Amino acid sequence: MAKFVIAGKANCPLYAKAELLGDYLQRNLPNFSIYKWPIAEQDWDDWVESTYGKNQWKSSKRSSPLIWRELMERGGRGTLVGDLDDFQEYAQCYYGTILDHFMTNSSALFRLIAEENIQQYTQDIALKKQFIEQTLNPYHVCIVGAHHPCAYELFPELLSSKLFPNRDIFLRLTTNDPSKLSSLEAMAMEIEDLACKQFHSVETSLQNNDITFENTDLIIVIDDYFFEEKQKYFDSLVAEKTRLNKTYDEANLFEDERPPFEPERMKYDMKSAYQYYKTLASQVQSNIKSTCHILIACSNSTMIATQAFIKTMNSIPTNNIIGLARTVENQAKARIGKKLNVDIRNVINLHIIGDVNDEYIIDTNHCQSLNYEGAIWAQSFLRNSTEMLADPKWIKEVLRKELENRDFELYSHVEHNRVLVHAQTSAILSFVQDWVNGSNDDHSYSCVMSCSTATLGLAETNDEEQIHGNFICSVPALIKGPDDVVPIDLNLSNDNRALLIRIIKDIQAKYKMD
């Protein structure tokens, strides 16, 4: 069985003659078959270079058409025949007498066939494009700050049908650092190698590109302005802690004799961070569509970034911009779960209220647990976590202190910040799933969003407690869909209510940059 591939420019008369000769031989020979491969004229040179490289051909012939024989039995690369003259010579040597009738065809026929070829090729391309547009269900996802370590761990879960069912994912990776663009391109190659079923394409670009955010459905901002600064600060703390431990070892002090290492809270330059995110928000707004949703997931600067985006962007609804508070919420759930000996997934309705990057309330008034092995046990039986803990002092003082120092404790025990990155990634993926598809349960989760005292059910009692206007705050909300994130009444105790009002006033003063 002989199979020949005839490739050429779609509008080339010589290609038309080669395919006519191939058709003639195929009709008159029982074991002769051809495959026709028309190529657009503008793509011919690149296609030839790619084909020669793949098959390791050394011939200098690059003109249209190009003919080679496929090795049907043995596999491997094809055997190059050459151009039209080589193909005619090949046919004459093997099948000379059969070609007598074919040689009577005129050049006018070949030009006519070439015209038909280009018309058919153009029509096929248009039909193929139309078919793709009709069958695709595109969903454009842009990751801002994809040079952050957390971006690498988002895949392949971000491309799964679990997060975006029945969608074709168009992914865009961006960075503000030109030197990191090569690492993004390497990441894009790895994403393509994953061959996820719903994945369609991936692009990389700088954040100041005019078309970066065009047609985007979901933007995940993990570009943390304070990330490198915090890394350097933590490195200095690790060195200081090591030095102190060495001093204690030399003094032969036992663990309970050593004073606890309590690092000071970092001081951040909020004004420069606000200007950075304000510029980024302006770039996003330039060509964003009105239905786009933006998740602010830059852990150390979530509050200031959310403030900048909500204040700057007026082309999308305010509720379409949400800051991630689930990382802190999951850390609190993990500690309560450890205390009760239950999985973190079985601790529900724990709320982080306030400033996730500074002072906040850990609200356990509604916190419940599933699968708690107490005196009464059932798989779906809910128990009040506060009652089971029976330790209000631990909740008020120890739990809060543990969460304040959680980042440094994890950083100092695990190389390359992997646990912190993994915790942030898990929070992003779980929140995206709830936000895009709607939560499958009636539980409430913490979100950083634009609020007012009315939406939170905070009824002021005197003039000193008056809070005017909207403010950015982490609050519990029901997540029923991308356009249905509703804050719930807090129903706080009097002490927590007074504390929250003070926190909100601090937020308004701290993040008021305009």
Side-chain angles (χ1 to χ4, degrees), residues 370-427:
L370 288 165
N371 298 339
Y372 177 70
E373 296 188 11
I376 302 174
W377 187 90
Q379 190 165 4
S380 59
F381 186 66
L382 287 170
R383 300 292 300 274
N384 186 293
S385 297
T386 307
E387 292 179 356
M388 289 184 293
L389 287 170
D391 193 351
K393 184 178 179 180
W394 181 85
I395 295 174
K396 188 174 181 179
E397 299 177 7
V398 179
L399 176 60
R400 171 76 176 137
K401 198 67 176 177
E402 287 182 357
L403 289 186
E404 283 181 357
N405 299 326
R406 73 191 187 286
D407 285 2
F408 175 67
E409 288 300 318
L410 292 173
Y411 186 88
S412 60
H413 285 86
V414 182
E415 187 180 3
H416 301 313
N417 212 9
R418 285 175 294 181
V419 172
L420 291 177
V421 168
H422 181 70
Q424 184 181 357
T425 303
S426 299

Side-chain angles (χ1 to χ4, degrees), residues 293-295 320 322 431-438 479 481-482 485:
H293 293 78
I294 302 176
L295 174 61
N320 284 19
I322 300 291
F431 184 84
V432 168
Q433 181 180 350
D434 290 342
W435 198 18
V436 172
N437 304 309
I479 307 174
V485 180

Side-chain angles (χ1 to χ4, degrees), residues 4-16:
F4 288 81
V5 178
I6 302 173
K9 299 176 184 177
N11 61 344
C12 176
L14 298 180
Y15 170 66

